Amino acid sequence: IFVGAGTTLSIENLTISGGSYGLAAYRNSNLLLSGVTIEGFTQRGISVAHSSYLGVNDGGVTISGGTDSSYGILLSTGASGWIHTSNISNVETGINLWSQSFTYIYNFSIEASNRGISLSSGSTVHMIGGGTGTIEGTSDRAVSVTYGVFDNSDGTLEIKNLNGGRGLDFWMSQGNIHNLKMPDYDNTGSDWNPAISLDTNSSLELENAEITGSTDGALVVIEEDSLAAINDSNLTVRSSGYGVEVSGG
């Protein structure tokens, strides 16, 4: 289903199967969803671009990709969203924002093979309202932020059952993360992959975090003129070079 040129489309209690994209909204359009299932697509479940808007209420969306599906939800080129409830699985990347896009997210579950949430090029994600998010199964980054902002001031984020890579990765970006749970982080034998990496003029406020794990290097790495505040948190080091490593200014 494709909408464009300022169209508003509201969909309730519908299952969409197959196609390259399940739903697409471009060029200042609005896509409003409740109780929608999108499955079996080959590229993108939902693609919203060119200053368009995605609204998902508490009826939610369930997104399950087909073979080699790239994205569950993609917001790009100034798109915005409010995603109350989403369940995303069988994709390479769960939620991807780039080129100055923005979304609120509340309750979500992401099972992705490569990345859970990925932000770049001036994009922002806000977890709000005490919602709960779970990311599992990623092999590269559970949360990747490059030239972006990831904010979770009062929700709970759990990262678990990873297949490699890093948990949270910030590069020239900002983060505010409260109530982080990372109970089983284990990346021994997978090269230098910290649970949290803060690199190159990045900043992070981490509060009420619980991280337990092992790596070949350090569990938390802060480097290259980055700044971190870690408050009221528990870091349990099972096997690694360091719990926290700080370097490069």
Side-chain angles (χ1 to χ4, degrees):
I1 296 176
F2 173 88
V3 294
T7 301
T8 294
L9 174 65
S10 178
I11 301 177
E12 185 174 350
N13 300 328
L14 182 69
T15 296
I16 301 169
S17 301
S20 297
Y21 299 4
L23 285 165
Y26 291 171
R27 298 186 296 279
N28 298 298
S29 295
N30 302 302
L31 192 59
L32 310 176
L33 309 178
S34 177
V36 173
T37 296
I38 303 169
E39 61 186 17
F41 54 91
T42 58
Q43 294 184 36
R44 306 173 186 176
I46 298 174
S47 183
V48 179
H50 310 146
S51 302
S52 294
Y53 173 76
L54 171 65
V56 179
N57 69 10
D58 54 2
V61 291
T62 299
I63 300 171
S64 179
T67 303
D68 298 325
S69 300
S70 299
Y71 305 111
I73 297 174
L74 174 66
L75 302 180
S76 63
T77 54
S80 60
W82 160 253
I83 305 171
H84 184 284
T85 301
S86 58
N87 296 288
I88 301 170
S89 61
N90 199 31
V91 292
E92 290 185 8
T93 300
I95 298 175
N96 189 17
L97 278 74
W98 65 275
S99 189
Q100 298 183 339
S101 296
F102 172 93
T103 192
Y104 293 109
I105 54 177
Y106 185 67
N107 291 326
F108 63 90
S109 173
I110 297 173
E111 296 182 33
S113 62
N114 188 36
R115 296 187 176 188
I117 296 175
S118 183
L119 312 176
S120 61
S121 305
S123 296
T124 300
V125 163
H126 281 288
M127 286 185 64
I128 62 167
T132 300
T134 302
I135 299 173
E136 59 182 310
T138 59
S139 61
D140 182 43
R141 308 283 192 270
V143 176
S144 175
V145 188
T146 302
Y147 291 111
V149 176
F150 185 90
D151 176 78
N152 169 29
S153 57
D154 58 357
T156 298
L157 175 62
E158 183 174 14
I159 297 172
K160 61 183 181 179
N161 301 327
L162 302 189
N163 292 317
R166 302 176 184 179
L168 301 166
D169 189 81
F170 292 85
W171 193 82
M172 298 194 75
S173 298
Q174 291 78 48
N176 178 19
I177 299 176
H178 293 197
N179 309 316
L180 172 67
K181 314 297 179 187
M182 208 178 302
D184 57 0
Y185 192 82
D186 187 357
N187 264 331
T188 52
S190 63
D191 204 8
W192 188 87
N193 281 306
I196 298 176
S197 175
L198 200 61
D199 194 358
T200 312
N201 297 306
S202 295
S203 64
L204 173 66
E205 180 180 335
L206 188 67
E207 185 166 330
N208 193 30
E210 296 181 9
I211 303 172
T212 299
S214 305
T215 70
D216 294 331
L219 274 183
V220 177
V221 175
I222 305 160
E223 60 184 348
E224 301 303 327
D225 299 311
S226 295
L227 173 67
I230 302 175
N231 305 311
D232 299 322
S233 298
N234 293 315
L235 181 65
T236 303
V237 183
R238 287 179 175 163
S239 174
S240 69
Y242 307 97
V244 178
E245 180 180 0
V246 183
S247 64

